[in-house]
Amino acid sequence: MTEIVKIPVESEDLKIFQEKTGMSLTGCIKILINSVKYGGKLEFDTFWSEENISDLKNRIKDGKMERHELIEV
C-alpha cells in the first residue's frame, strides 16, 4: 500500500535543500525511511560539510594533496 504524505515547505528552502544535497526531498525521505526500516544508522556524512570541503580545497592549493579529475566511463 502506498501513502501520500504532504509536507508544506517554503519553495526557497526546498531550492536550497536540493542545491546543497543534489537530491529531491522525495528521494531523501525514501532513503530515510528505508534506512530506519532496515535497521540502518542515521548519520550526517561529514565529508561533504563546508568545513571539510574548504580544508580539502586549501590542501590542494597548498600542494599537500593532488587534485585528480574524475573521468566518466
Side-chain angles (χ1 to χ4, degrees):
M1 177 187 226
T2 300
E3 296 287 334
I4 296 175
V5 179
K6 293 185 178 186
I7 303 171
V9 178
E10 294 290 329
S11 58
E12 186 60 30
D13 292 342
L14 184 59
K15 180 181 174 186
I16 292 168
F17 173 82
Q18 290 174 333
E19 287 173 357
K20 290 194 176 238
T21 64
M23 297 179 65
S24 69
L25 188 56
T26 302
C28 185
I29 290 172
K30 285 180 182 180
I31 290 171
L32 172 67
I33 290 171
N34 283 332
S35 180
V36 171
K37 179 179 172 181
Y38 296 112
K41 222 172 158 183
L42 299 178
E43 296 178 344
F44 175 70
D45 184 356
T46 57
F47 180 82
W48 298 108
S49 68
E50 289 182 32
E51 181 181 349
N52 192 52
I53 296 299
S54 177
D55 180 56
L56 291 171
K57 286 179 181 178
N58 288 333
R59 288 179 182 215
I60 291 169
K61 186 175 74 176
D62 295 342
K64 295 179 183 173
M65 205 171 150
E66 290 183 28
R67 181 180 184 155
H68 297 279
E69 297 295 325
L70 294 176
I71 300 172
E72 290 189 32
V73 179

Coordinates of all heavy atoms in Angstrom, one line a residue:
M1 N 0.8 -1.2 0.0 CA 0.0 0.0 0.0 C 0.9 1.2 0.0 O 1.9 1.3 0.7 CB -0.9 0.0 1.2 CG -1.8 1.2 1.4 SD -2.6 1.1 2.9 CE -4.2 1.6 2.4
T2 N 0.5 2.2 -0.7 CA 1.3 3.5 -0.8 C 0.5 4.6 -0.1 O -0.7 4.7 -0.2 CB 1.5 3.9 -2.3 OG1 2.2 2.9 -2.9 CG2 2.2 5.2 -2.4
E3 N 1.2 5.4 0.7 CA 0.6 6.5 1.4 C 1.1 7.8 0.8 O 2.2 7.8 0.3 CB 0.9 6.5 2.9 CG 0.4 5.3 3.7 CD -1.1 5.4 3.9 OE1 -1.6 6.5 3.9 OE2 -1.7 4.3 4.0
I4 N 0.3 8.8 0.7 CA 0.7 10.1 0.3 C 0.8 11.0 1.5 O -0.1 11.1 2.3 CB -0.3 10.7 -0.7 CG1 -0.4 9.8 -2.0 CG2 0.1 12.1 -1.1 CD1 -1.4 10.2 -3.0
V5 N 2.0 11.6 1.6 CA 2.3 12.5 2.7 C 2.5 13.9 2.2 O 3.3 14.1 1.3 CB 3.5 12.0 3.5 CG1 3.9 13.0 4.7 CG2 3.4 10.6 4.0
K6 N 1.8 14.9 2.7 CA 2.0 16.2 2.3 C 2.7 17.0 3.4 O 2.3 17.0 4.5 CB 0.7 16.9 2.0 CG 0.0 16.3 0.8 CD -1.3 17.1 0.5 CE -1.9 16.5 -0.8 NZ -3.1 17.3 -1.2
I7 N 3.9 17.6 3.0 CA 4.7 18.4 3.9 C 4.8 19.8 3.3 O 5.5 19.9 2.3 CB 6.0 17.8 4.2 CG1 5.9 16.4 4.7 CG2 6.9 18.6 5.2 CD1 7.2 15.6 4.8
P8 N 4.3 20.8 4.0 CA 4.5 22.2 3.4 C 5.9 22.6 3.6 O 6.4 22.6 4.7 CB 3.5 23.0 4.2 CG 3.1 22.3 5.4 CD 3.4 20.8 5.1
V9 N 6.6 23.1 2.5 CA 8.0 23.5 2.6 C 8.0 24.8 1.8 O 7.5 24.8 0.6 CB 8.9 22.5 2.0 CG1 10.4 23.0 2.1 CG2 8.8 21.2 2.8
E10 N 8.7 25.8 2.3 CA 8.9 27.1 1.5 C 9.6 26.7 0.3 O 10.6 26.0 0.3 CB 9.6 28.1 2.4 CG 8.8 28.6 3.6 CD 7.7 29.5 3.2 OE1 7.7 30.2 2.2 OE2 6.7 29.4 3.9
S11 N 9.2 27.3 -0.9 CA 9.9 27.0 -2.1 C 11.4 27.4 -2.1 O 12.2 26.6 -2.7 CB 9.2 27.7 -3.3 OG 9.1 29.1 -3.1
E12 N 11.8 28.4 -1.5 CA 13.2 28.8 -1.4 C 14.0 27.8 -0.5 O 15.1 27.5 -0.9 CB 13.3 30.2 -0.8 CG 14.7 30.8 -0.8 CD 15.3 30.9 -2.2 OE1 14.6 31.1 -3.2 OE2 16.6 30.8 -2.3
D13 N 13.4 27.3 0.6 CA 14.0 26.3 1.4 C 14.2 25.0 0.6 O 15.3 24.4 0.7 CB 13.2 26.0 2.6 CG 13.2 27.2 3.6 OD1 14.0 28.1 3.5 OD2 12.3 27.2 4.5
L14 N 13.2 24.6 -0.2 CA 13.3 23.4 -1.0 C 14.4 23.6 -2.0 O 15.2 22.7 -2.3 CB 12.0 23.2 -1.7 CG 11.9 21.9 -2.5 CD1 12.2 20.7 -1.6 CD2 10.5 21.8 -3.1
K15 N 14.5 24.7 -2.7 CA 15.5 25.0 -3.7 C 16.9 24.9 -3.0 O 17.8 24.3 -3.6 CB 15.3 26.4 -4.3 CG 16.3 26.8 -5.3 CD 16.0 28.2 -5.8 CE 17.1 28.6 -6.8 NZ 17.0 30.0 -7.2
I16 N 17.1 25.5 -1.9 CA 18.4 25.4 -1.2 C 18.7 24.0 -0.8 O 19.8 23.5 -1.0 CB 18.4 26.3 0.1 CG1 18.3 27.8 -0.3 CG2 19.6 26.0 1.0 CD1 18.0 28.8 0.8
F17 N 17.7 23.2 -0.3 CA 17.9 21.8 0.1 C 18.4 21.0 -1.1 O 19.4 20.3 -1.1 CB 16.6 21.2 0.6 CG 16.7 19.8 0.8 CD1 17.3 19.3 2.0 CD2 16.2 18.9 -0.1 CE1 17.3 17.9 2.2 CE2 16.3 17.5 0.1 CZ 16.9 17.0 1.3
Q18 N 17.7 21.2 -2.3 CA 18.1 20.5 -3.5 C 19.5 20.8 -4.0 O 20.2 20.0 -4.4 CB 17.0 20.7 -4.6 CG 15.7 20.0 -4.2 CD 14.6 20.3 -5.2 OE1 14.6 21.3 -5.8 NE2 13.7 19.4 -5.3
E19 N 19.8 22.1 -3.9 CA 21.2 22.6 -4.4 C 22.3 22.0 -3.5 O 23.3 21.5 -4.0 CB 21.3 24.1 -4.4 CG 20.5 24.7 -5.5 CD 20.4 26.3 -5.4 OE1 21.0 26.8 -4.4 OE2 19.9 26.9 -6.3
K20 N 22.0 22.0 -2.2 CA 23.1 21.5 -1.2 C 23.2 20.0 -1.2 O 24.3 19.5 -1.0 CB 22.8 22.0 0.2 CG 23.0 23.5 0.3 CD 23.1 24.0 1.7 CE 23.5 25.4 1.8 NZ 24.7 25.7 2.5
T21 N 22.1 19.3 -1.4 CA 22.1 17.8 -1.3 C 22.2 17.1 -2.7 O 22.6 16.0 -2.8 CB 20.9 17.3 -0.6 OG1 19.7 17.6 -1.3 CG2 20.8 17.8 0.8
G22 N 21.8 17.8 -3.7 CA 21.7 17.2 -5.0 C 20.6 16.2 -5.1 O 20.6 15.3 -6.0
M23 N 19.7 16.2 -4.2 CA 18.6 15.2 -4.1 C 17.2 15.9 -4.0 O 17.1 17.0 -3.5 CB 18.7 14.3 -2.9 CG 20.0 13.5 -2.8 SD 20.0 12.5 -1.3 CE 18.6 11.5 -1.6
S24 N 16.2 15.2 -4.5 CA 14.9 15.7 -4.3 C 14.5 15.4 -2.9 O 15.0 14.5 -2.2 CB 13.9 15.1 -5.3 OG 13.7 13.7 -4.9
L25 N 13.5 16.1 -2.3 CA 13.1 15.9 -1.0 C 12.4 14.5 -0.9 O 12.6 13.7 0.1 CB 12.1 17.0 -0.6 CG 11.6 16.9 0.9 CD1 12.8 17.0 1.8 CD2 10.7 18.1 1.1
T26 N 11.7 14.1 -2.0 CA 11.1 12.8 -2.0 C 12.1 11.7 -1.9 O 12.0 10.7 -1.2 CB 10.3 12.6 -3.3 OG1 9.3 13.6 -3.3 CG2 9.6 11.3 -3.4
G27 N 13.2 11.8 -2.7 CA 14.3 10.8 -2.7 C 14.9 10.7 -1.3 O 15.2 9.6 -0.8
C28 N 15.1 11.9 -0.7 CA 15.7 11.9 0.6 C 14.9 11.2 1.7 O 15.3 10.4 2.5 CB 16.0 13.3 1.0 SG 16.9 13.5 2.5
I29 N 13.6 11.5 1.6 CA 12.7 10.8 2.6 C 12.6 9.3 2.3 O 12.6 8.6 3.3 CB 11.3 11.5 2.5 CG1 11.3 12.9 3.0 CG2 10.2 10.7 3.2 CD1 10.1 13.7 2.8
K30 N 12.6 8.9 1.1 CA 12.7 7.4 0.8 C 13.9 6.8 1.4 O 13.8 5.7 2.0 CB 12.6 7.2 -0.7 CG 11.2 7.4 -1.3 CD 11.2 7.2 -2.7 CE 9.8 7.4 -3.3 NZ 9.8 7.2 -4.8
I31 N 15.1 7.4 1.3 CA 16.3 6.9 1.8 C 16.2 6.9 3.4 O 16.6 5.9 4.0 CB 17.5 7.7 1.4 CG1 17.8 7.5 -0.1 CG2 18.7 7.4 2.2 CD1 18.8 8.4 -0.7
L32 N 15.7 7.9 4.0 CA 15.5 8.0 5.4 C 14.6 6.8 5.9 O 14.9 6.1 6.8 CB 14.9 9.3 5.8 CG 14.5 9.5 7.2 CD1 15.7 9.5 8.2 CD2 13.7 10.8 7.4
I33 N 13.5 6.6 5.2 CA 12.5 5.6 5.6 C 13.2 4.2 5.5 O 13.1 3.4 6.4 CB 11.2 5.7 4.8 CG1 10.5 6.9 5.3 CG2 10.4 4.4 5.0 CD1 9.3 7.3 4.5
N34 N 13.8 4.0 4.4 CA 14.5 2.7 4.2 C 15.6 2.4 5.2 O 15.8 1.3 5.6 CB 15.0 2.5 2.7 CG 13.9 2.2 1.7 OD1 12.9 1.7 2.1 ND2 14.1 2.7 0.5
S35 N 16.3 3.4 5.5 CA 17.4 3.3 6.5 C 16.8 2.9 7.8 O 17.3 1.9 8.5 CB 18.1 4.6 6.6 OG 19.2 4.5 7.6
V36 N 15.8 3.5 8.3 CA 15.1 3.1 9.5 C 14.5 1.7 9.4 O 14.6 0.9 10.3 CB 14.1 4.2 9.9 CG1 13.3 3.7 11.1 CG2 14.7 5.5 10.2
K37 N 13.9 1.5 8.3 CA 13.2 0.2 8.1 C 14.1 -1.0 8.2 O 13.8 -2.0 8.7 CB 12.5 0.3 6.7 CG 11.8 -1.0 6.3 CD 11.2 -0.7 4.9 CE 10.6 -2.0 4.3 NZ 10.0 -1.7 3.0
Y38 N 15.3 -0.8 7.6 CA 16.3 -1.9 7.6 C 17.3 -1.8 8.7 O 18.4 -2.4 8.6 CB 16.9 -2.0 6.2 CG 15.9 -2.3 5.1 CD1 15.6 -1.4 4.1 CD2 15.2 -3.6 5.1 CE1 14.6 -1.7 3.2 CE2 14.3 -3.9 4.1 CZ 14.0 -2.9 3.2 OH 13.1 -3.2 2.2
G39 N 17.0 -1.1 9.7 CA 17.9 -1.0 10.9 C 19.2 -0.2 10.7 O 20.1 -0.3 11.5
G40 N 19.2 0.6 9.7 CA 20.4 1.4 9.4 C 20.5 2.5 10.5 O 19.6 2.9 11.2
K41 N 21.7 3.1 10.5 CA 22.0 4.2 11.4 C 21.9 5.5 10.7 O 22.3 5.6 9.5 CB 23.5 4.0 11.8 CG 23.7 4.3 13.3 CD 25.1 3.9 13.6 CE 25.6 4.6 14.8 NZ 27.0 4.3 15.1
L42 N 21.2 6.5 11.3 CA 21.1 7.8 10.6 C 22.2 8.7 11.0 O 22.3 9.0 12.2 CB 19.7 8.4 11.0 CG 18.5 7.6 10.6 CD1 17.2 8.3 11.1 CD2 18.5 7.4 9.1
E43 N 23.0 9.1 10.1 CA 24.1 10.0 10.4 C 24.3 10.9 9.2 O 24.0 10.7 8.1 CB 25.4 9.2 10.5 CG 25.4 8.2 11.7 CD 26.7 7.4 11.8 OE1 27.5 7.4 10.8 OE2 27.0 6.8 12.8
F44 N 24.9 12.1 9.6 CA 25.2 13.1 8.6 C 26.6 12.8 8.1 O 27.5 12.6 8.9 CB 25.2 14.5 9.2 CG 25.6 15.5 8.2 CD1 24.9 15.9 7.1 CD2 26.8 16.2 8.4 CE1 25.3 16.9 6.2 CE2 27.2 17.2 7.6 CZ 26.5 17.5 6.4
D45 N 26.8 12.7 6.8 CA 28.1 12.4 6.2 C 28.9 13.7 6.3 O 28.7 14.6 5.5 CB 28.0 11.9 4.8 CG 29.3 11.6 4.1 OD1 30.4 11.7 4.8 OD2 29.3 11.1 3.0
T46 N 29.9 13.8 7.2 CA 30.7 15.0 7.5 C 31.7 15.3 6.3 O 32.2 16.4 6.3 CB 31.4 14.9 8.8 OG1 32.2 13.7 8.8 CG2 30.4 14.8 10.0
F47 N 31.9 14.3 5.5 CA 32.8 14.5 4.4 C 32.4 15.7 3.5 O 33.2 16.5 3.1 CB 32.9 13.3 3.5 CG 33.9 13.5 2.3 CD1 35.3 13.4 2.5 CD2 33.4 13.9 1.1 CE1 36.1 13.6 1.5 CE2 34.3 14.1 0.0 CZ 35.7 14.0 0.2
W48 N 31.1 15.9 3.3 CA 30.6 17.0 2.5 C 30.3 18.3 3.2 O 29.7 19.2 2.7 CB 29.3 16.5 1.8 CG 29.6 15.3 0.9 CD1 29.3 14.0 1.1 CD2 30.4 15.3 -0.3 NE1 29.7 13.2 0.1 CE2 30.4 14.0 -0.8 CE3 31.0 16.3 -1.1 CZ2 31.1 13.6 -2.0 CZ3 31.7 15.9 -2.2 CH2 31.7 14.6 -2.7
S49 N 30.7 18.3 4.5 CA 30.5 19.6 5.3 C 31.3 20.7 4.6 O 32.4 20.5 4.0 CB 30.9 19.4 6.7 OG 32.3 19.2 6.8
E50 N 30.8 21.9 4.8 CA 31.5 23.1 4.3 C 32.9 23.2 4.8 O 33.9 23.5 4.1 CB 30.8 24.4 4.6 CG 29.5 24.5 3.8 CD 28.7 25.8 4.0 OE1 29.4 26.8 4.3 OE2 27.5 25.8 3.9
E51 N 33.1 22.9 6.1 CA 34.4 22.9 6.7 C 35.4 21.9 6.1 O 36.5 22.3 5.8 CB 34.3 22.6 8.2 CG 35.6 22.6 9.0 CD 35.4 22.3 10.5 OE1 34.3 22.2 10.9 OE2 36.4 22.1 11.1
N52 N 35.0 20.7 5.8 CA 35.8 19.7 5.2 C 36.2 20.0 3.8 O 37.3 19.9 3.3 CB 35.2 18.3 5.3 CG 36.2 17.2 5.0 OD1 37.3 17.2 5.5 ND2 35.9 16.4 4.0
I53 N 35.2 20.5 3.0 CA 35.4 20.9 1.6 C 36.4 22.0 1.5 O 37.3 22.0 0.7 CB 34.1 21.2 0.9 CG1 33.2 20.0 0.8 CG2 34.3 21.8 -0.5 CD1 33.7 18.8 0.1
S54 N 36.3 23.0 2.4 CA 37.2 24.1 2.5 C 38.6 23.6 2.8 O 39.6 24.1 2.2 CB 36.7 25.1 3.5 OG 37.6 26.2 3.7
D55 N 38.7 22.7 3.8 CA 40.0 22.1 4.1 C 40.7 21.4 2.9 O 41.8 21.6 2.7 CB 39.9 21.2 5.3 CG 41.2 20.6 5.7 OD1 42.2 21.4 6.0 OD2 41.3 19.4 5.8
L56 N 39.9 20.6 2.2 CA 40.4 19.9 1.1 C 40.8 20.8 0.0 O 41.9 20.6 -0.6 CB 39.3 18.9 0.5 CG 38.9 17.8 1.4 CD1 37.7 17.0 0.8 CD2 40.1 16.8 1.6
K57 N 40.1 21.9 -0.3 CA 40.5 22.9 -1.3 C 41.8 23.6 -0.9 O 42.7 23.8 -1.7 CB 39.4 23.9 -1.5 CG 38.2 23.4 -2.2 CD 37.1 24.5 -2.4 CE 35.9 24.0 -3.1 NZ 34.9 25.0 -3.2
N58 N 41.9 23.9 0.4 CA 43.2 24.5 0.9 C 44.4 23.6 0.7 O 45.5 24.0 0.4 CB 43.0 25.0 2.3 CG 42.2 26.2 2.4 OD1 42.1 27.0 1.5 ND2 41.5 26.3 3.6
R59 N 44.2 22.3 1.0 CA 45.3 21.3 0.9 C 45.7 21.2 -0.6 O 46.9 21.1 -0.9 CB 44.8 19.9 1.4 CG 44.7 19.9 2.9 CD 44.2 18.5 3.3 NE 44.1 18.4 4.7 CZ 44.3 17.3 5.4 NH1 44.7 16.2 4.8 NH2 44.2 17.3 6.7
I60 N 44.7 21.2 -1.5 CA 45.0 21.1 -2.9 C 45.8 22.4 -3.3 O 46.9 22.3 -4.0 CB 43.8 21.0 -3.8 CG1 43.1 19.6 -3.5 CG2 44.1 21.2 -5.2 CD1 41.7 19.5 -4.1
K61 N 45.4 23.5 -2.9 CA 46.0 24.8 -3.2 C 47.4 24.8 -2.6 O 48.4 25.3 -3.3 CB 45.2 26.0 -2.6 CG 45.7 27.3 -3.1 CD 44.8 28.4 -2.6 CE 45.0 28.6 -1.1 NZ 44.2 29.6 -0.5
D62 N 47.6 24.3 -1.4 CA 49.0 24.4 -0.8 C 49.9 23.2 -1.3 O 51.0 23.1 -0.8 CB 48.8 24.3 0.7 CG 48.1 25.5 1.3 OD1 48.0 26.5 0.6 OD2 47.6 25.3 2.5
G63 N 49.4 22.4 -2.2 CA 50.2 21.3 -2.7 C 50.4 20.1 -1.8 O 51.2 19.3 -2.0
K64 N 49.5 20.1 -0.7 CA 49.6 19.0 0.2 C 48.8 17.8 -0.3 O 48.7 16.7 0.4 CB 49.2 19.4 1.6 CG 50.1 20.4 2.2 CD 49.7 20.9 3.6 CE 50.6 21.9 4.1 NZ 50.1 22.5 5.3
M65 N 48.1 17.9 -1.4 CA 47.2 16.9 -1.9 C 47.1 17.1 -3.4 O 47.0 18.2 -3.8 CB 45.8 17.1 -1.2 CG 45.0 15.9 -1.1 SD 43.6 16.4 0.0 CE 42.4 15.3 -0.7
E66 N 47.1 16.0 -4.1 CA 47.0 16.1 -5.6 C 45.5 16.2 -5.9 O 44.7 15.6 -5.3 CB 47.6 14.9 -6.2 CG 49.1 14.9 -6.1 CD 49.7 13.7 -6.9 OE1 49.1 13.3 -7.8 OE2 50.8 13.3 -6.5
R67 N 45.3 16.9 -7.0 CA 43.9 17.0 -7.5 C 43.8 16.1 -8.7 O 44.5 16.2 -9.6 CB 43.6 18.4 -7.9 CG 42.2 18.6 -8.4 CD 41.9 20.0 -8.8 NE 40.5 20.1 -9.2 CZ 39.8 21.2 -9.1 NH1 40.4 22.3 -8.7 NH2 38.6 21.3 -9.5
H68 N 42.8 15.2 -8.6 CA 42.5 14.3 -9.7 C 41.2 14.6 -10.3 O 40.2 14.7 -9.6 CB 42.6 12.8 -9.3 CG 43.9 12.4 -8.7 ND1 44.9 12.1 -9.5 CD2 44.4 12.4 -7.5 CE1 46.0 11.8 -8.8 NE2 45.7 11.9 -7.5
E69 N 41.1 14.7 -11.6 CA 39.8 15.0 -12.3 C 39.1 13.6 -12.4 O 39.7 12.6 -12.7 CB 40.0 15.6 -13.6 CG 40.7 17.0 -13.6 CD 39.8 18.0 -12.9 OE1 38.6 18.0 -13.0 OE2 40.4 18.9 -12.2
L70 N 37.8 13.6 -12.2 CA 37.1 12.4 -12.4 C 36.8 12.2 -13.9 O 36.5 13.2 -14.6 CB 35.7 12.5 -11.7 CG 35.8 12.5 -10.2 CD1 34.4 12.7 -9.6 CD2 36.4 11.3 -9.6
I71 N 37.0 11.0 -14.3 CA 36.7 10.7 -15.7 C 35.6 9.7 -15.8 O 35.6 8.7 -15.2 CB 38.0 10.0 -16.4 CG1 39.2 11.0 -16.3 CG2 37.7 9.7 -17.8 CD1 40.5 10.4 -16.7
E72 N 34.5 10.1 -16.5 CA 33.4 9.3 -16.6 C 33.6 8.2 -17.7 O 34.1 8.5 -18.8 CB 32.1 10.1 -17.0 CG 31.7 10.9 -15.8 CD 30.3 11.6 -16.1 OE1 29.5 11.0 -16.8 OE2 30.1 12.7 -15.6
V73 N 33.3 7.0 -17.4 CA 33.5 5.9 -18.4 C 32.2 5.5 -18.9 O 31.2 5.5 -18.4 CB 34.1 4.7 -17.6 CG1 34.3 3.6 -18.6 CG2 35.4 5.1 -17.0

